[in-house]
Amino acid sequence: MTQWFETEVVENRHWTESLFTLRVKGAALAFQAGQFVRIALDIDGARVARAFSLVNAPGEPLLEFYGIVVPQGPLSPRLARLEAADRLFVASNPAGFLVLSEILDAETLWLMATGTGIAPFVSMLRAETPWQRFEKVVLVHAVRQAPELVYRDEIERARVKHGPRFRYVPIVSREDAPHALRGRIPALLGDASLEGAAGLKLAATDSQVMLCGNPDMLKDTTAALVKRGLRKNRRRTPGHITVESFW
């Protein structure tokens, strides 16, 4: 039976009308960067829960969740309206296999996300493990419109701290934006624009790729990577591509 922590909201940051970050206190969770946990509210006598990736790094005192409002959804509009001192339930059992302990060492770690799929990768950037195991880390974040390129302060801290070991490639699909590629991840892999922006080649000989986001991106990007000779990562047959759907 699921055990729940009753936590207190410390901050609800709104990035856009539909994107928000909740920071809460009152739960100490043991987890790996990249994992998710269910959060919940009691609504009309029932506990309504959804899975959210943890944005904070393991060991940080506050838990952090990044979400999008689904207008007709039972939970996310209410989460977006929470204020400081409101209560939020957090399950005690984080889970998920989009974690660095499930992949082999490589020279370059590529973290590719669409939308709110950036959440587990921010957790990884905040942790020490990727910087201990990989010479370079590339974060690719694809969104529809430029204001959705969130956590830029976090990304800048990683750039300052790790210098040329860290590369950031923002992508916007529906408008031109300064310093961002325009298009979709699979197409930008296909014409080498993504690698050009990162200043690195993506190859099976020296790369591990983690994908998190919408199903179409996962399917099409995996297919593009397989064409290059990369393989899906499985425990019995280790490969190069680790995937988690954020829908």
Side-chain angles (χ1 to χ4, degrees), residues 70-233:
V70 179
Q72 305 305 318
L75 184 62
S76 62
R78 291 175 169 85
L79 293 176
R81 292 194 296 268
L82 292 177
E83 299 178 351
D86 286 342
R87 314 304 288 181
L88 176 70
F89 294 100
V90 178
S92 62
N93 54 341
F97 297 100
L98 191 76
V99 293
L100 296 175
S101 61
E102 293 287 330
I103 70 174
L104 299 177
D105 289 337
E107 181 177 341
T108 304
L109 173 66
W110 296 78
L111 307 173
M112 300 188 185
T114 55
T116 54
I118 193 177
F121 298 149
V122 175
S123 179
M124 291 181 191
L125 293 181
R126 291 177 174 177
E128 293 299 322
T129 304
W131 311 105
Q132 295 167 346
R133 291 185 53 195
F134 303 93
E135 179 60 29
K136 298 180 181 68
V137 177
V138 181
L139 173 65
V140 179
H141 188 204
V143 299
R144 293 172 298 177
Q145 297 176 321
E148 298 166 4
L149 291 170
V150 298
Y151 283 100
R152 299 297 289 267
D153 50 349
E154 195 72 42
I155 291 164
E156 183 59 24
R157 277 194 289 271
R159 193 197 313 273
V160 170
K161 183 175 181 179
H162 301 289
R165 294 183 63 195
F166 175 63
R167 315 289 172 88
Y168 170 57
V169 182
I171 300 171
V172 179
S173 64
R174 297 189 180 179
E175 63 183 13
D176 292 325
H179 312 297
L181 298 177
R182 182 166 183 176
R184 297 180 64 243
I185 291 174
L188 295 168
L189 275 171
D191 67 10
S193 296
L194 194 156
E195 290 161 289
L200 295 168
K201 291 293 185 182
L202 196 166
T205 53
D206 60 8
S207 301
Q208 282 287 332
V209 185
M210 306 185 91
L211 307 176
C212 188
N214 68 72
D216 286 342
M217 184 278 280
L218 300 181
K219 174 174 65 70
D220 295 345
T221 303
T222 297
L225 293 170
V226 168
K227 285 183 179 179
R228 291 169 171 248
L230 283 76
R231 305 184 309 275
K232 285 189 175 181
N233 185 41

Side-chain angles (χ1 to χ4, degrees), residues 42-55:
D42 288 343
I43 302 171
D44 297 330
R47 184 153 296 174
V48 180
R50 295 291 184 271
F52 279 71
S53 285
L54 290 138
V55 181

